[in-house]
Amino acid sequence: MTEVKRRVPLIRFKGFSDDWNERVLNDIATCFSGGTPSAKSKKYYGGNIPFIRSGEINKSSTELFITEDGLDNSSAKMVKRGDILFALYGATSGEVGISKINGAINQAVLAINPIQKDDPYLITQWLKRQKKIITGTYLQGGQGNLSASIVKKLIISLSRNLSEQKKVSDFFKTIDNLIAANQRKLELLNQLKKGFIRRIINQELRFKEFPDAWKDHTLGSFIIEYSGKTKINNQYPILTSSRKGLFLQMDYYGGHQIASKNNIGYNIVPRGYFTYRHMSDDEVFKFNINELVDYGIVSTLYPVFKTTSALNPYFLQYLLNYGDTFKRYALIQKQGGS
């Protein structure tokens, strides 16, 4: 067992005075990842075992299920409800959660089970707090992968007093429950907002003071394309235009940059201008407005434009993102092979 050094936290509950120890994660927990059954064998899939992938570590259901044969003939490993799950690969790398179900994990998920009676919830909170440091220091490759061997060597600070661990853990659980309750309220408000937006954009709901009928116009007469491109490397901050909105790429990927190291020729996005990815596999396009920086840059796959003075840019954003007209257009373009 590796004991690194002893520490005392700055803030703690009354009645506890024992030192906290810094310990290597692999010394206090059994850590293992799984594998994926061969996709060529249909008998390995469609069973009753939930197959937990990295994007599903915090979910109570999975998209895929595998069979006993799939489990026995692959490196997939079983985890149980309450086990700590750490995402190693992809967009969710560095995220951590406590499994809500019994199931099997693949190679992109690391299970962490305390050997003694150390509190799993407290370990989870520590890993969450360290996410930016972990991903910023150890993330590997353009897809954003973390090595399981590196995660196992992380040094975690824990109280030696299990009662104190439980006290701190219960405190965090109370806060998380409050967050979850308010998050649900926020989700309901967002659903209500989207419903109103769609009804207004599709002219099913109107404000009384505006009785005039809407007229059809060609969108091209209200937008101005922008073709500015970078002339030097890292001329402006790199942006990520996602379905969740527009972000600084370093923030979106936890301090990691996945764009090409040479970004000369990237599209420039001035403040107040639109950008979006012009290709989609499911006809879902998200139009974002740069409100982050005076100038940002995006890949050439992301066109850039602004509206003329005759059209409110935020109205257009709602129209494109929530209206049915653009969705129908995108479907027609796909059916036509574009």
Side-chain angles (χ1 to χ4, degrees):
M1 301 272 298
T2 305
E3 290 282 349
V4 182
K5 63 179 180 179
R6 291 160 40 163
R7 303 180 63 183
V8 176
L10 295 176
I11 301 175
R12 68 194 311 184
F13 291 100
K14 292 181 179 180
F16 301 104
S17 58
D18 295 336
D19 293 333
W20 285 39
N21 287 344
E22 286 191 335
R23 291 175 282 175
V24 177
L25 184 60
N26 201 41
D27 286 347
I28 65 169
T30 300
C31 304
F32 61 88
S33 56
T36 300
S38 173
K40 296 180 181 179
S41 181
K42 293 183 179 179
K43 68 177 183 177
Y44 292 163
Y45 290 88
N48 297 318
I49 302 173
F51 192 46
I52 306 169
R53 294 174 293 177
S54 60
E56 300 169 324
I57 61 174
N58 284 299
K59 295 183 178 180
S60 56
S61 62
T62 61
E63 182 179 349
L64 297 179
F65 290 80
I66 62 174
T67 62
E68 291 288 346
D69 280 343
L71 180 65
D72 294 339
N73 292 281
S74 72
S75 298
K77 291 184 175 62
M78 291 296 297
V79 295
K80 62 185 182 299
R81 182 178 180 179
D83 286 351
I84 301 171
L85 301 181
F86 187 93
L88 295 171
Y89 300 166
T92 57
S93 57
E95 292 188 8
V96 63
I98 294 180
S99 183
K100 295 180 173 61
I101 56 175
N102 298 329
I105 58 173
N106 67 4
Q107 65 276 12
V109 177
L110 182 71
I112 303 170
N113 297 323
I115 298 171
Q116 302 297 325
K117 295 183 179 180
D118 290 307
D119 193 286
Y121 198 84
L122 193 56
I123 295 174
T124 300
Q125 292 300 315
W126 184 88
L127 289 168
K128 285 183 177 180
R129 183 174 178 270
Q130 297 295 315
K131 178 186 175 183
K132 284 190 176 182
I133 296 174
I134 294 170
T135 55
T137 305
Y138 300 113
L139 213 57
Q140 301 171 345
Q143 296 300 315
N145 297 339
L146 287 166
S147 166
S149 62
I150 289 176
V151 177
K152 293 176 184 180
K153 294 177 183 178
L154 294 174
I155 298 173
I156 181 171
S157 181
L158 287 174
S159 171
R160 293 185 296 175
N161 188 318
L162 297 180
S163 295
E164 183 176 17
Q165 286 193 25
K166 186 178 186 306
K167 187 81 171 179
V168 175
S169 175
D170 289 345
F171 173 72
F172 285 137
K173 285 179 183 177
T174 300
I175 294 176
D176 279 346
N177 289 337
L178 286 172
I179 292 173
N182 284 285
Q183 185 66 37
R184 178 57 182 160
K185 292 179 182 179
L186 180 61
E187 289 172 358
L188 291 173
L189 285 173
N190 278 328
Q191 291 176 11
L192 182 64
K193 173 188 172 184
K194 289 179 181 179
F196 276 122
I197 289 173
R198 288 193 177 95
R199 291 186 66 190
I200 291 173
I201 291 299
N202 295 321
Q203 302 177 56
E204 298 169 8
L205 184 67
R206 299 290 303 275
F207 291 102
K208 291 181 179 180
E209 62 265 38
F210 301 107
D212 295 340
W214 290 18
K215 296 180 180 180
D216 291 334
H217 297 274
T218 302
L219 181 59
S221 60
F222 291 97
I223 63 173
I224 302 170
E225 294 185 57
Y226 184 76
S227 58
K229 297 185 181 297
T230 56
K231 300 186 184 310
I232 59 175
N233 205 36
N234 297 321
Q235 186 172 347
Y236 300 114
I238 300 174
L239 304 177
T240 290
S241 183
S242 74
R243 295 185 183 188
K244 295 180 180 179
L246 194 68
F247 301 88
L248 293 172
Q249 189 171 98
M250 294 290 284
D251 292 342
Y252 191 76
Y253 290 100
H256 191 68
Q257 180 174 304
I258 67 166
S260 171
K261 291 183 179 180
N262 181 3
N263 48 59
I264 296 175
Y266 268 38
N267 290 341
I268 297 175
V269 190
R271 185 182 292 275
Y273 282 55
F274 285 78
T275 188
Y276 69 101
R277 183 176 173 85
H278 78 274
M279 295 184 295
S280 173
D281 294 330
D282 57 4
E283 298 89 52
V284 175
F285 296 84
K286 182 63 182 290
F287 292 80
N288 293 308
I289 298 175
N290 174 21
E291 297 178 300
L292 297 173
V293 290
D294 289 336
Y295 295 94
I297 62 175
V298 292
S299 160
T300 53
L301 294 174
Y302 296 77
V304 180
F305 66 90
K306 69 172 183 176
T307 60
T308 66
S309 58
L311 180 62
N312 182 289
Y314 298 102
F315 174 81
L316 177 61
Q317 186 181 34
Y318 283 124
L319 186 67
L320 294 174
N321 287 337
Y322 297 102
D324 292 335
T325 303
F326 185 79
K327 290 181 181 178
R328 289 195 296 267
Y329 172 79
L331 182 60
I332 292 172
Q333 291 298 303
K334 183 174 182 179
Q335 292 173 342
S338 298

